[in-house]
């Protein structure tokens, strides 16, 4: 019943910012997925007697991968597998199930916001018993195991029927198929004022949620339509498709352009939102206004007490380093601790587990709290609806009031995608070498005050993570950050993050790119990016 297959290490099975991501075709190469899964088992010691949660965002190869992982977990004598029906689980729902069942961990099949399909991307994320992405110590152990692997084990059992519900047993392993949505939706009801949101919607408030043909469709339908009474058509692109309808399931103004243009139009609904492939990101829009993720995080920090689950207030807040300082201003005003971590949700785990932070967020459209250990797209949407219901004003008014109170941190991220890896690495290496001599130098209209490479000393376990992005602070109250993406699958992606604080009341509603023109000019003068990368401009501006 059990087969041991000889194998050899496959180069490059090193998890990045969020799991191992490769072209789908690479993952479909015989032995590729098997090698990595066996490396997970080996990296964590063993999976014998353990309980794992398993599911994915429904992209191409999702169900085939689940069948393989089931057979390998059975061969490894796992005690129990909890699998989302039809192989579906959003990342936040998987995190919740791990915690709800006291599981030892989970495997989530997703490349998140990367396109899917046979020519797109696939990914595998391993989460630990707290429900969060494996910390670096664990991903390093998994990677190390992948470099010495010599065999993997797989059970010769028939495929399981993923459409059923309930329990079956295969050798020593109990397999339970669970509804992917119910437990998650019920958790949301414990956190937010569903009565107030229901009354808001019943009163004529119009909303639109774009699931981008990815995993959140069924979740949004259950929560927004069935439990909150929104009309059926408020959730669009609600059926998860293996190729996400050919789109990028990335909720930003560029990839969610249909929603974006609807929200900027004359007949726009009051509120618009979208989520990504695996449901952990969010985009928030009001009529005629896009809320940057950094601002959304700050607004939530300032208003979370309006939601019943957060009525006691927040213990502390955390953001990734490139996320704007808007959060820090709220934290300072409200006397909350504020942490800055490297990019990637795994760095929030210790802060959430230890109770140092309740709310976390990233500029890349990720927001979440200690209710789970992942960022959570629908959670952010419900938080916003709760805030709007309790305040009784528009999204635009919430933002204007927020900026009046705290000032505005104009913010933008420019992505240069699939650039030549060597050129991108050289640009970072050269800038790193210059950091010490930058203070006092003038670039375009700005003068460097401070320049450093970000490293993070985890205040809970004392681990040190280095080389997490170059930060240049300008004397004029602006900041520039450069780092290379750790989620791409071809070439390199250079991310350039820019922000500038504005306190003058008359300048709070300018166009962000306009307002950042000085920082953009300084960045170009400092990095000579256009010539070095041979690019006229960024591919994606958010
Ligand atoms: C990107 C984002 C980062 C996010 C990560 C995973 O990483 O910048 O903030 O945590 O994606 O998000 P990178 O290394 O490409 O900049 V998701 O929604 O892929 O799980
Ligand atoms: Co995601």
């Amino acid at each position: 019943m059990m087969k041991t297959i000889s194998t050899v290490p496959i180069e490059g099975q090193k998890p990045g910012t969020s799991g191992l991501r490769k072209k789908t075709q690479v993952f479909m190469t015989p032995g590729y997925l098997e090698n990595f899964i066996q490396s997970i088992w080996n990296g964590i010691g063993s999976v014998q007697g353990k309980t794992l949660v398993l599911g994915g965002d429904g992209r191409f190869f999702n169900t085939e991968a689940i069948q393989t992982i089931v057979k390998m977990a059975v061969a490894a004598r796992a005690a129990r597998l909890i699998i989302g029906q039809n192989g579906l689980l959003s990342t936040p729902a998987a995190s919740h199930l791990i915690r709800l069942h006291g599981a030892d961990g989970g495997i989530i099949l997703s490349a998140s916001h990367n396109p899917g399909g046979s020519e797109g991307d696939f990914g595998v994320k391993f989460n630990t018993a707290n429900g969060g992405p494996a910390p670096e110590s664990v991903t390093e152990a998994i990677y190390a195991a992948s470099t010495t692997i010599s065999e993997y084990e797989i059970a010769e059992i028939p495929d399981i029927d993923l459409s059923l519900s309930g329990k079956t047993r295969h050798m020593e392993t109990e397999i339970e198929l669970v509804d992917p949505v119910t437990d998650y939706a019920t958790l949301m009801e414990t956190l937010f004022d569903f009565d107030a949101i229901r009354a808001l919607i019943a009163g004529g408030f119009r909303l639109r949620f774009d699931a981008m043909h990815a995993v959140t469709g069924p979740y949004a339908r259950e929560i927004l339509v069935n439990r909150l009474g929104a009309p059926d058509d408020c959730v669009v692109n609600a059926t998860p498709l293996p190729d996400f309808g050919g789109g990028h399931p990335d909720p930003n103004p560029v990839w969610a352009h249909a929603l974006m243009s609807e929200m900027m139009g004359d007949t726009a609904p009051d509120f618009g939102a979208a989520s990504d492939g695996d449901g952990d990101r969010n985009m928030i829009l009001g009529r005629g206004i896009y809320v940057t993720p950094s601002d959304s995080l700050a607004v939530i920090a300032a208003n979370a007490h309006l939601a019943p689950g957060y009525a006691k207030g927040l213990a502390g807040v955390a953001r990734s380093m490139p996320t704007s300082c808007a959060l820090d201003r709220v934290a300072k005003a409200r006397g909350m601790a504020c942490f800055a971590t490297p990019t990637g949700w795994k760095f929030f785990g210790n802060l959430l587990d230890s109770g140092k932070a309740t709310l976390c967020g990233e500029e890349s459209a990720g927001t979440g709290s200690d209710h789970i250990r992942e960022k959570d797209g629908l959670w952010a949407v419900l938080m916003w609806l709760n805030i709007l219901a309790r305040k009784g004003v528009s999204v635009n008014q919430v933002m204007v009031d927020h900026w009046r109170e705290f000032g505005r941190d104009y913010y933008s991220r420019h992505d240069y995608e699939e650039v030549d890896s060597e050129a991108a690495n050289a640009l970072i290496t050269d800038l790193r070498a210059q950091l010490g001599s930058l203070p006092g130098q003038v670039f375009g209209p700005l003068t460097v005050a401070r320049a450093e490479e970000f490293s993070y000393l985890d205040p809970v376990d004392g681990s040190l993570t280095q080389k997490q992005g170059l930060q240049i602070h300008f004397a004029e109250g602006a900041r520039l950050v450069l780092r290379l993406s750790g989620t791409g699958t071809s070439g390199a992606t250079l991310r350039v993050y820019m922000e500038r604080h504005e306190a003058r009341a008359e300048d709070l509603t300018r166009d962000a790119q306009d307002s950042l023109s000085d920082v953009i000019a300084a960045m170009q003068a400092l990095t000579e990016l256009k010539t070095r990368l041979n690019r006229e401009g960024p591919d994606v501006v958010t």
Side-chain angles (χ1 to χ4, degrees):
M1 282 276 266
M2 217 171 79
K3 249 182 16 189
T4 302
I5 315 271
S6 301
T7 187
V8 291
I10 299 173
E11 220 183 287
Q13 293 201 327
K14 189 178 175 65
T17 312
S18 176
L20 181 68
R21 285 187 200 178
K22 298 286 171 194
K23 290 281 165 215
T24 310
Q25 292 296 331
V26 172
F27 261 107
M28 290 173 70
T29 313
Y32 192 92
L33 174 69
E34 290 85 343
N35 260 30
F36 189 63
I37 297 300
Q38 185 68 50
S39 300
I40 295 178
W41 302 166
N42 297 350
I44 62 171
S46 147
V47 84
Q48 185 180 352
K50 292 185 178 165
T51 297
L52 292 182
V53 168
L54 177 59
D57 64 9
R59 69 180 63 218
F60 191 87
F61 193 52
N62 190 56
T63 48
E64 293 85 344
I66 287 184
Q67 298 293 355
T68 300
I69 296 168
V70 166
K71 289 170 193 173
M72 291 186 68
V74 169
R77 302 160 73 189
R80 192 171 170 217
L81 295 178
I82 299 161
I83 308 176
Q85 229 176 331
N86 296 316
L88 293 180
L89 278 180
S90 74
T91 289
S95 182
H96 177 51
L97 282 181
I98 293 170
R99 298 166 66 77
L100 185 68
H101 293 280
D104 298 286
I107 293 179
I108 304 167
L109 304 173
S110 173
S112 190
H113 56 287
N114 298 22
S118 83
E119 302 312 311
D121 292 347
F122 193 78
V124 176
K125 306 193 267 190
F126 178 69
N127 284 28
T128 47
N130 72 346
E136 296 226 297
S137 55
V138 176
T139 54
E140 283 300 325
I142 293 169
Y143 174 58
S146 81
T147 64
T148 57
I149 189 168
S150 58
E151 59 185 34
Y152 65 82
E153 293 187 325
I154 188 157
E156 291 187 292
I157 53 170
D159 282 356
I160 57 167
D161 187 342
L162 292 170
S163 68
L164 301 177
S165 64
K167 297 177 183 170
T168 53
R169 176 165 282 282
H170 299 266
M171 297 163 64
E172 291 171 41
T173 310
E174 180 187 273
I175 296 177
E176 181 174 6
L177 281 150
V178 299
D179 178 88
V181 174
T182 308
D183 291 318
Y184 174 83
T186 302
L187 172 67
M188 293 300 116
E189 281 186 331
T190 67
L191 301 173
F192 299 112
D193 190 342
F194 270 47
D195 288 338
I197 302 173
R198 204 177 291 116
L200 178 76
I201 294 170
F205 180 92
R206 289 168 55 225
L207 67 146
R208 178 82 71 233
F209 181 89
D210 189 343
M212 303 189 83
H213 296 297
V215 79
T216 40
Y219 295 86
R221 267 216 183 109
E222 172 61 18
I223 294 170
L224 300 175
V225 178
N226 298 347
R227 300 198 187 197
L228 288 168
D232 238 352
D233 64 359
C234 87
V235 184
V236 296
N237 302 322
T239 306
L241 299 176
D243 66 348
F244 307 122
H248 271 247
D250 194 353
N252 63 41
V254 178
W255 296 117
H257 45 82
L259 176 67
M260 187 74 184
S261 57
E262 184 183 8
M263 294 306 298
M264 297 301 140
D266 293 340
T267 57
D270 300 285
F271 180 82
S275 195
D276 71 333
D278 61 333
D280 56 0
R281 295 188 180 199
N282 71 89
M283 173 166 79
I284 303 294
L285 297 155
R287 184 183 300 134
I289 184 169
Y290 160 68
V291 181
T292 69
S294 292
D295 274 346
S296 171
L297 176 63
V299 166
I300 292 174
N303 296 289
H305 60 276
L306 298 176
Y310 306 87
K312 300 193 305 294
L314 307 174
V317 295
R319 63 166 171 88
S320 68
M321 179 276 281
T323 303
S324 95
C325 297
L327 179 69
D328 308 43
R329 296 181 209 287
V330 176
K332 191 159 178 240
R334 303 284 159 88
M336 291 186 283
C338 182
F339 300 86
T341 61
T343 294
W345 209 262
K346 58 188 166 212
F347 295 102
F348 293 133
N350 282 340
L351 297 173
L352 294 165
D353 284 348
S354 66
K356 287 185 184 297
T358 313
L359 172 74
C360 304
E362 295 191 279
E363 51 65 42
S364 55
T367 337
S369 86
D370 62 355
H371 66 293
I372 54 170
R373 293 294 179 275
E374 289 276 7
K375 53 191 187 276
D376 190 343
L378 270 165
W379 175 92
V381 170
L382 291 167
M383 178 62 95
W384 264 92
L385 289 173
N386 191 137
I387 291 169
L388 294 172
R390 288 291 305 278
K391 281 188 172 279
V393 298
S394 68
V395 173
N396 192 62
Q397 195 59 49
V398 168
M399 290 321 305
V400 168
D401 291 347
H402 187 89
W403 293 328
R404 275 201 196 119
E405 185 173 355
F406 300 99
R408 179 169 178 183
D409 293 86
Y410 281 101
Y411 186 86
S412 184
R413 186 178 96 187
H414 291 189
D415 291 332
Y416 293 81
E417 295 184 335
E418 295 188 31
V419 294
D420 180 62
S421 291
E422 248 173 63
N425 280 313
L427 188 150
I428 292 285
T429 311
D430 292 351
L431 189 55
R432 176 182 294 133
Q434 270 180 276
L435 288 176
S437 63
L438 289 182
Q441 288 195 50
V442 177
F443 293 96
L446 303 181
T447 306
V448 176
R450 217 150 45 81
E452 80 245 339
E453 181 154 44
F454 182 64
S455 59
Y456 179 64
L457 182 65
D458 186 301
V460 178
D461 67 13
S463 60
L464 181 69
T465 309
Q466 288 171 301
K467 297 195 170 177
Q468 293 301 307
L470 307 179
Q471 268 198 98
I472 290 122
H473 303 265
F474 295 100
E476 292 78 4
R479 180 171 74 129
L480 165 67
V481 172
L482 289 102
R483 63 177 281 281
L484 293 169
S485 155
T487 57
T489 58
S490 51
T493 292
L494 180 70
R495 302 205 195 284
V496 181
Y497 312 78
M498 290 163 290
E499 73 177 307
R500 183 179 76 78
H501 183 61
E502 178 61 74
R504 287 173 302 201
E506 66 276 20
D507 282 330
L508 292 177
T509 51
R510 289 176 58 187
D511 171 73
Q513 301 305 318
D514 239 31
S515 169
L516 288 167
S517 58
D518 282 0
V519 194
I520 296 171
M523 181 275 292
Q524 178 53 35
L526 171 61
T527 63
E528 291 169 349
L529 186 144
K530 278 188 192 170
T531 31
R532 296 192 62 150
L533 298 185
N534 193 20
R535 287 290 171 95
E536 257 322 295
D539 299 279
V540 178
V541 172
T542 52

